[in-house]
Amino acid sequence: RWYLRFGLSYRDVEELLTERGIEVDHVTVYRWVQRFTPLLAEAARPCRHAVGDRWWADETYVKVAGRWRYVYRAIDQSGQVVDVLMSTHRDVKAARRFFERAIGTTKTTPVEVVTDRAPVYPAVLEELLPAAWHRTEQYTNNRIEADHGRVKARLRPMRGLKQDRNVGVVIAGHAFVQNLRRGHYELAVEEPANRRLTVAFDQLALVI
């Protein structure tokens, strides 16, 4: 939870645990993140609120093992992260895969999709969402571009990223934690925002 929520390194988490009398190597923390993040997200899935029907979609980037990777993300009108997908390419195939997965996972067909003017989007949206209003006016995509800053801030302390899968788990886990904190799950909703993650993770730990 600390690792996904804050801009910490694995060694930072090791030190924080040591201060609390828990001796854990940073490699173990790394293994916990990789092992339990998908399980926690899956356990929370039935409690997730329905995704809205207006989406802001865009891609950002991260360097893994010296190579650029592209992170496709979308949020809805309430700020819920719809889905995330990391891809080795920034092309029509990647954009199609992102939207197919987002629609399939959320069971939601948006009526409006806001993107930048990247040439890959019109053909993909015409194919998958022909009835949706595709908006590309200047500045309309600022909402998702600003939201990218949150995941970028989380990735910044993670120097020396080596494996696509490991980075993908953290990016998906960050989106999950972001949605939890914003109250987009029926978990710990009665708690104040600064306690919501703690209580929700305790509940989910019992499930897994």
Side-chain angles (χ1 to χ4, degrees), residues 8-173:
L8 301 171
S9 69
Y10 291 117
R11 291 184 185 274
D12 290 334
V13 178
E14 176 186 359
E15 184 175 336
L16 288 169
L17 290 171
T18 300
E19 290 179 1
R20 288 156 177 79
I22 303 170
E23 297 291 338
V24 177
D25 189 81
H26 65 278
V27 176
T28 300
V29 178
Y30 155 77
R31 290 172 178 163
W32 286 348
V33 171
Q34 294 298 314
R35 169 64 173 158
F36 292 113
T37 297
L39 296 180
L40 290 163
E42 178 60 24
R45 186 175 54 82
C47 303
R48 184 178 179 181
H49 292 174
V51 170
D53 59 2
R54 298 174 62 206
W55 293 5
W56 282 256
D58 191 28
E59 71 283 342
T60 186
Y61 51 87
V62 61
K63 188 168 282 189
V64 181
R67 297 172 182 262
W68 288 114
R69 297 292 185 259
Y70 301 95
V71 181
Y72 287 81
R73 303 175 72 249
I75 59 174
D76 68 7
Q77 64 265 42
S78 62
Q80 180 174 182
V81 180
V82 176
D83 203 357
V84 296
L85 175 71
M86 193 170 74
S87 173
T88 56
H89 295 89
R90 184 187 185 190
D91 54 18
V92 170
K93 184 178 179 180
R96 182 187 297 112
R97 186 156 59 98
F98 170 70
F99 278 103
E100 286 177 341
R101 196 176 84 164
I103 295 166
T105 300
T106 63
K107 310 301 182 188
T108 299
T109 302
V111 299
E112 178 182 336
V113 179
V114 180
T115 73
D116 60 17
R117 297 179 181 177
V120 300
Y121 289 121
V124 171
L125 294 176
E126 180 62 29
E127 174 188 349
L128 299 178
L129 299 167
W133 179 24
H134 180 201
R135 298 181 57 195
T136 60
E137 299 96 320
Q138 191 176 16
Y139 306 125
T140 54
N141 212 33
N142 284 359
R143 179 180 296 197
I144 181 64
E145 290 178 354
D147 200 79
H148 286 331
R150 299 182 181 276
V151 68
K152 299 282 269 190
R154 177 63 205 89
L155 295 176
R156 200 169 294 121
M158 298 171 58
R159 297 179 181 178
L161 304 176
K162 299 297 184 185
Q163 297 183 30
D164 288 345
R165 180 189 178 280
N166 296 345
V167 180
V169 167
V170 173
I171 290 172

Side-chain angles (χ1 to χ4, degrees), residues 155-206:
L155 295 176
R156 200 169 294 121
M158 298 171 58
R159 297 179 181 178
L161 304 176
K162 299 297 184 185
Q163 297 183 30
D164 288 345
R165 180 189 178 280
N166 296 345
V167 180
V169 167
V170 173
I171 290 172
H174 178 271
F176 164 58
V177 164
Q178 188 172 321
N179 282 342
L180 264 180
R181 289 187 66 245
R182 290 175 174 176
H184 297 303
Y185 284 84
E186 204 60 34
L187 288 166
V189 291
E190 72 284 356
E191 299 288 338
N194 61 358
R195 284 276 301 159
R196 194 170 290 151
L197 277 185
T198 305
V199 175
F201 267 60
D202 286 345
Q203 294 173 352
L204 293 172
L206 295 175

